[in-house]
Amino acid sequence: MQSFYPSQIIEYLYCPRYTYFEYVLRIPQYEDKFYKVTRGREIHNEKLEQNKAYLRKKIGVKNKWVDQYLGVEGLRGKIDEVLELGDNSFAPLDYKFAYWKDRVYDTYKQQLYCYAVLIEENFHAKVNKGFLVYTRSKHKLIEVSIPPEAKKEIKASMEKMLVIIQQNKFPKATTFKKRCVNCTYRNICIK
């Protein structure tokens, strides 16, 4: 069965045509050229080395697993930190090379939702929330609620992505046209 990374599900939710161009036509994005992507990966690796033994007691962390690669049917990914909390629930923590701007972007939430699915199925524990660390805002820690319906949306998106791939189906573009401005596929996409 086809298996997706959280970033690919996020791209699908951003615009379903990402899935079509990447998997059906097999046109790569070449996102490594973007400074923020490269710098974000560097910061990510630094943080993982610096914080290996640190437990965030203020948010009730009693145990953690760093840089965890997890997989379930249809979904796989590497989570910066899997946290076990005092109430025996678990939570993903993800470092972002970004500034805190008084709101959590949908793409960040969706990534945490994907991680919640992975953690629940691999650790057999409940995931009700996740955490984001904004490295460019003095490592500001933000808690994000993860409702059950969000995890269901992730699973439904994976099924829709499979339909696009298996049936070579050209999906409708996003209705948010501002998203097209910086899209890596804008020159070949029929709007």
Side-chain angles (χ1 to χ4, degrees), residues 8-29 160-161 164-165 169-175 177 179-180 183-191:
Q8 294 162 326
I9 294 170
I10 291 165
E11 289 168 350
Y12 166 82
L13 291 167
Y14 194 76
C15 178
R17 288 190 177 171
Y18 270 99
T19 302
Y20 181 80
F21 290 125
E22 191 170 349
Y23 285 101
V24 177
L25 297 183
R26 300 194 180 279
I27 301 170
Q29 288 189 64
K160 292 174 187 171
M161 291 170 74
I164 292 170
I165 295 165
K169 183 179 176 190
F170 188 63
K172 290 184 179 181
T174 180
T175 56
K177 294 304 171 196
R179 293 179 179 177
C180 300
C183 178
T184 55
Y185 297 117
R186 72 180 175 275
N187 292 332
I188 59 170
C189 186
I190 304 165
K191 288 156 185 84

Side-chain angles (χ1 to χ4, degrees), residues 135-185:
T135 62
R136 297 176 88 183
S137 292
K138 299 180 182 176
H139 306 287
K140 183 165 183 68
L141 179 74
I142 300 295
E143 182 179 314
V144 177
S145 174
I146 301 178
E149 55 273 7
K151 293 175 263 187
K152 288 178 186 170
E153 180 189 5
I154 294 302
K155 291 176 181 178
S157 296
M158 290 165 33
E159 291 172 13
K160 292 174 187 171
M161 291 170 74
L162 279 174
V163 168
I164 292 170
I165 295 165
Q166 292 170 347
Q167 297 177 8
N168 293 329
K169 183 179 176 190
F170 188 63
K172 290 184 179 181
T174 180
T175 56
F176 303 100
K177 294 304 171 196
K178 286 184 180 179
R179 293 179 179 177
C180 300
V181 174
N182 292 319
C183 178
T184 55
Y185 297 117

Side-chain angles (χ1 to χ4, degrees), residues 116-131:
V117 170
L118 288 168
I119 292 169
E120 282 189 348
E121 295 196 27
N122 280 277
F123 285 85
H124 308 289
K126 202 73 181 142
V127 176
N128 304 311
K129 60 186 168 185
F131 298 93

Side-chain angles (χ1 to χ4, degrees), residues 96-113:
K96 293 294 176 196
F97 180 61
Y99 292 104
W100 169 245
K101 295 183 180 177
D102 296 319
R103 71 181 283 253
V104 177
Y105 292 111
D106 285 342
T107 54
Y108 293 174
K109 289 180 189 176
Q110 291 156 355
Q111 184 175 19
L112 289 176
Y113 300 161

Side-chain angles (χ1 to χ4, degrees), residues 80-96:
D80 292 349
E81 293 182 15
V82 175
L83 308 176
E84 182 180 8
L85 304 176
D87 64 359
N88 295 320
S89 68
F90 278 58
L93 180 139
D94 196 54
Y95 291 96
K96 293 294 176 196

